[in-house]
Amino acid sequence: MAQHKAEPESPQGEEGSTSSSLGATVRTLASTLWFPAFFFTGFLVCYLLPFHNPVPHHVDVAVAGPSAGQLEQALEQKSPGAFDIHPVADAGAAHDAVTNREVTAGYAPDAKHPQLFVAKADGYSLESVLQKTFTSVAQHSGGQLQVHEAAPTAPGDGMGTGLFYLVLACTIPSYISVMMLLRATTFGRRKKVLTLVSVGVVESLVAYFVARSMDVIPNEPLAIPFIFLMTQAVALTSYGLVPFFKQFFPGVAMGLFVLLSMPSSGGAIPVQMVPGFFRALHPIMPMGNLIEALRGQFYFDGKDVGRHVLVICAWVVGGIALIALGAWKERREARKEAEDGRTGAEVEAEPPVEDPSFELPQPCAVPPHSHRLLQQEPTLKGRVTDERGRPLRGVAITVTGTHGRELLRASTDEQGEYAATGLPDHFVNVIASGPDRLAAVARVQARDGHPVRQDFRLAPRPAPAGVGAQAAARY
């Protein structure tokens, strides 16, 4: 009978085990693949779908003479919503409207020689659309269109996209610098911010002089501080987001500065040819504002540069504010944890900040005296001695979190020393124990960039009472 009862329980146990294994597999795949899935979807939605066939939207065109109204009606019938016509007095006024960045193009109708004023600095693809459209208009009127370049790009920027790639070269590394610095467990917040500032200085100088050497941009050194401000807008904002979004930080930062910022920048595809959502983002995102500031500085006599630089500065200030708020949040949590002395039942383990491309440091033991290249520096170290101050070799060191989970195990070397790295920014319990020694426990606060030392002096374990009595009886 007992055997009969046991038989139906075995499949249930196997089914429960299979279900548990499947659930663990699904959770592992979800936590591992969410970022590539997010990025895949983001590129489809933010790049392929809106830009597979870009068309002009509300391109401002200054038209000279009394025929502006008739031309607007004709263009509206042919391409609804593509062009907004602005009447001006004559061809000179149309040209000036372009160079003053009041409009994107200017057109001066004439029976034989109509003129089109364009700015290649606003993007070659937009210039091509304008030439095609107004060539057709001129031919319909029986004239031959004359195209005048009102704002040509630098000789090395034949397609008018050089600024986009210059700015892109400083945007992505600024974000990646934050991700790599998260691995620098011996760097505190101040050192990390100083490093991000230093990296931004190097990026802006190198990018400017490399672009100058290829004639991609004119000789305007004022561009260097503009580029530097943009690197800090990306880097400081990204770093400031870390404490608030934790393991979702990569998706938030890359979503802001890649999926949204690049398509709305107007660099690769002119902003007049992107969908309305991205046109609305263009005046807000740092990448687009830097491109517009550089265009104004290089090709339009500084027109509107101040406004775009102010937007970038607002991002920098916002990043600094996020960093300060994150520091306050960390201090408040540490103070509350120290006051409450919360145990594992009261504290939930927070998921680590993880980047899909770069593995962040995990708690692990490291050699106390090794200084190899690329080896992580210890964030916790100490020495274990006996009651006379002599080093104890082979003592087990166990580090647990305040939630009770074991983080790592280590053992002391010949000098009685131990070291560990990759500890979370919280209080941890350090336990030293040996087979013939009384265990000792210490509670220390592991802080990013602030290595902590915890030494132990272990007393010998007293012999059991019975053993002592037997030994005395022998004598």
Side-chain angles (χ1 to χ4, degrees), residues 157-298:
D157 188 13
M159 297 298 293
T161 55
L163 287 182
F164 171 73
Y165 295 108
L166 169 65
V167 175
L168 180 63
C170 297
T171 300
I172 304 301
S174 297
Y175 159 78
I176 294 177
S177 297
V178 174
M179 293 311 311
M180 297 306 292
L181 279 174
L182 292 178
R183 299 174 59 91
T185 55
T186 57
F187 270 29
R189 185 177 290 103
R190 182 177 301 176
K191 282 187 178 180
K192 288 180 179 179
V193 170
L194 290 176
T195 301
L196 292 174
V197 172
S198 301
V199 169
V201 171
V202 174
E203 286 178 352
S204 56
L205 288 171
V206 172
Y208 174 80
F209 286 109
V210 169
R212 277 291 304 127
S213 68
M214 296 186 295
D215 255 351
V216 173
I217 58 176
N219 185 20
E220 292 281 352
L222 189 59
I224 297 175
F226 296 168
I227 299 172
F228 168 74
L229 284 173
M230 197 278 305
T231 64
Q232 299 311 290
V234 175
L236 298 181
T237 302
S238 297
Y239 184 50
L241 291 172
V242 173
F244 301 98
F245 291 95
K246 295 184 170 58
Q247 76 271 27
F248 299 109
F249 155 70
V252 175
M254 294 292 276
L256 274 175
F257 301 121
V258 176
L259 297 180
L260 296 180
S261 193
M262 287 169 57
S264 65
S265 67
I269 300 177
V271 67
Q272 297 91 339
M273 300 180 70
V274 301
F277 173 72
F278 294 104
R279 292 202 306 276
L281 289 178
H282 180 71
I284 302 171
M285 305 304 290
M287 191 173 181
N289 277 279
L290 177 59
I291 290 176
E292 294 298 342
L294 293 178
R295 281 173 175 166
Q297 182 65 31
F298 292 154

Side-chain angles (χ1 to χ4, degrees), residues 380 383-384 394-402 404-412 418 420 423 428-434 437-444 454-458 461:
L380 170 67
R383 190 167 185 260
V384 183
V395 174
I397 303 296
T398 305
V399 180
T400 64
T402 53
R405 182 170 62 90
E406 181 180 303
L407 299 178
L408 64 93
R409 281 180 176 267
S411 61
T412 57
Y418 70 94
L423 297 176
V428 295
N429 299 316
V430 185
I431 308 167
S433 60
R437 298 281 168 174
L438 292 175
V441 182
R443 192 164 184 258
V444 299
Q454 180 59 52
D455 297 331
F456 293 96
R457 178 165 291 188
L458 301 186
R461 188 185 299 274

Side-chain angles (χ1 to χ4, degrees), residues 1 50 98 216 247 328 435:
M1 181 179 296
V98 176
V216 173
Q247 76 271 27
W328 173 80

Side-chain angles (χ1 to χ4, degrees), residues 22-45:
L22 178 61
T25 300
V26 171
R27 287 192 297 272
T28 300
L29 289 175
S31 63
T32 304
L33 299 179
W34 74 267
F35 186 76
F38 167 78
F39 223 40
F40 171 74
T41 305
F43 269 105
L44 286 179
V45 174

